[in-house]
Amino acid sequence: MAGRAAMLVNLGTVVMTVLTLASFVEGFGVNWGNIASHPLNPDIVVRMLKENKINKVKLFDADSWTMNALAGSGMEVMVGIPNNLLETLADDYGNAKDWVKENITAYMRKDGVNIKYVAVGNEPFLSAYNGSYLKTTFPALKNIHRALKEAGHTDVMKATIPQNAEVYQSANDKPSEGDFRSDVKQIMLDIVKFFHDNDLPFTVNIYPFLSLYLNQHFPVEYAFFDGNGQTIPDNGKNYDNVFDANYDTLVYALNKAGIKDMKIIVGEVGWPTDGHKYATPKLAEKFYAGLMKRLAKDVGTPLRPEKLEVYLFGLLDEDMKSILPGPFERHWGIFR
């Protein structure tokens, strides 16, 4: 317990809210990013995760030091492929086959790594990228899926593409008007059809904080789960928070694509603790308290009332991240 106590530095109520409720929640994980000037030893991080009963982790690469630290832990792992590898993997199936051999198959041994998902890219269709990955993401996904299948791994793991919620939108902010963004609509339709045909999940990153940050007129309470803000009626469903509305906007977009039952994973959701007037430990605690209580009850959204699969963002503050989106980018950590 001394080691655990030493890690719970300064975030106080945020950490304790997550960890106190964690024992009542199954199926949630954390994002483990490492864009830091002094990254923690992966062995320490894995021990910290296990001591705090967090048994699922999402990575942004396949760093061997991190992967070896996870070997034998039993933790479910989503391994990431950075965007800068998408072109290489898209251009040559042999490259994808080699990547799978070196970063997946190498850990599929007794007391190896419990890899459940392979994340191909990270938010590759973000509008800020100006279409840089539009031509490479889907071919890279298909090559990685094929390589995983040929290696005999698809019975235990699935490929996916973590997308920012920006890839879909609603003209009037009501979920029922949800559809994929016009400039990426055709490629998204192709991707979700491939997901459906191969039983792959849709992964989406949803950030209520950013709704508040990007719109000065956004109703503050609508970013939380307390039900204290406005309620928006839509097609017989009532929405009292932006997370539910955002998630169900995706459900409607999938429905319009003819897909009714696709598994959805929330790849990132969280609240920063510094760098903006709304990025405070107090509001982070409020957000996580509502989210974790929701997860503990196995209550989903109005359109998808079943249990949610969620990865919190993120595990640790990352002091080398770009602050172009805002200073808060370096302060998403539950732990410091």
Side-chain angles (χ1 to χ4, degrees):
M1 290 298 291
R4 173 178 172 178
M7 303 311 302
L8 307 185
V9 181
N10 293 332
L11 289 186
T13 56
V14 179
V15 173
M16 295 316 297
T17 293
V18 173
L19 299 183
T20 299
L21 293 171
S23 59
F24 300 102
V25 180
E26 293 182 4
F28 92 97
V30 295
N31 284 265
W32 177 3
N34 217 10
I35 308 176
S37 57
H38 297 83
L40 284 177
N41 183 308
D43 293 321
I44 294 174
V45 176
V46 172
R47 188 164 67 247
M48 178 176 73
L49 290 167
K50 293 182 71 175
E51 288 177 353
N52 289 299
K53 298 181 173 61
I54 299 172
N55 59 12
K56 296 173 64 172
V57 66
K58 177 171 168 280
L59 307 175
F60 293 91
D61 54 27
D63 174 72
S64 60
W65 193 13
T66 301
M67 294 292 282
N68 283 316
L70 286 163
S73 69
M75 297 183 64
E76 288 186 5
V77 179
M78 182 184 293
V79 178
I81 298 175
N83 289 340
N84 61 9
L85 293 182
L86 293 177
E87 184 175 1
T88 298
L89 298 175
D91 286 348
D92 187 337
Y93 173 65
N95 291 336
K97 194 171 182 178
D98 288 343
W99 188 92
V100 167
K101 180 180 178 181
E102 294 169 10
N103 298 287
I104 302 298
T105 306
Y107 300 101
M108 302 298 289
R109 59 180 189 267
K110 184 179 180 181
D111 294 326
V113 182
N114 181 18
I115 302 170
K116 188 167 184 182
Y117 302 108
V118 177
V120 182
N122 183 54
E123 300 186 337
F125 298 162
L126 202 63
S127 59
Y129 291 145
N130 296 315
S132 298
Y133 307 109
L134 279 179
K135 294 182 179 179
T136 55
T137 301
F138 189 25
L141 170 78
K142 289 190 286 188
N143 280 343
I144 288 294
H145 172 74
R146 177 184 167 192
L148 290 172
K149 189 171 184 178
E150 286 189 4
H153 300 323
T154 49
D155 287 342
V156 294
M157 72 183 71
K158 306 290 184 182
T160 185
I161 303 172
Q163 297 281 9
N164 189 284
E166 190 192 60
V167 297
Y168 51 87
Q169 53 195 198
S170 169
N172 61 5
D173 292 330
K174 290 191 174 184
S176 61
E177 292 298 314
D179 206 347
F180 291 112
R181 203 174 75 219
S182 59
D183 62 311
V184 297
K185 183 170 181 176
Q186 188 55 56
I187 188 67
M188 287 304 304
L189 292 177
D190 293 341
I191 287 172
V192 297
K193 183 180 185 304
F194 185 83
F195 282 171
H196 181 264
D197 291 347
N198 292 281
D199 192 28
L200 307 181
F202 192 110
T203 301
V204 61
N205 301 338
I206 299 176
Y207 282 103
F209 167 80
L210 293 181
S211 298
L212 192 58
Y213 171 73
L214 294 170
N215 181 0
Q216 62 178 332
H217 302 297
F218 189 87
V220 175
E221 288 301 321
Y222 198 58
F224 300 95
F225 296 92
D226 302 335
N228 295 331
Q230 64 177 336
T231 296
I232 298 176
D234 184 29
N235 266 13
K237 307 292 184 182
N238 292 313
Y239 293 89
D240 61 10
N241 70 85
V242 70
F243 177 91
D244 284 357
N246 191 307
Y247 189 104
D248 281 0
T249 301
L250 170 59
V251 175
Y252 273 109
L254 290 171
N255 288 348
K256 288 174 184 175
I259 297 170
K260 307 289 186 182
D261 57 354
M262 180 169 290
K263 178 177 180 177
I264 297 174
I265 299 168
V266 180
E268 299 178 17
V269 61
W271 198 278
T273 57
D274 201 356
H276 185 262
K277 66 178 181 178
Y278 291 123
T280 67
K282 183 177 180 180
L283 289 180
E285 191 275 336
K286 176 182 172 76
F287 179 79
Y288 282 117
L291 175 63
M292 296 300 283
K293 288 175 182 175
R294 164 77 71 87
L295 296 178
K297 293 178 181 177
D298 287 345
V299 176
T301 66
L303 278 183
R304 289 276 189 96
E306 67 269 16
K307 179 178 177 179
L308 297 167
E309 183 169 354
V310 169
Y311 292 83
L312 307 184
F313 189 89
L315 181 62
L316 303 162
D317 278 358
E318 298 175 76
D319 66 346
M320 297 295 287
K321 288 189 74 174
S322 168
I323 60 170
L324 190 61
F328 57 84
E329 273 299 311
R330 296 179 175 176
H331 301 282
W332 291 96
I334 298 169
F335 298 88
R336 245 186 240 288

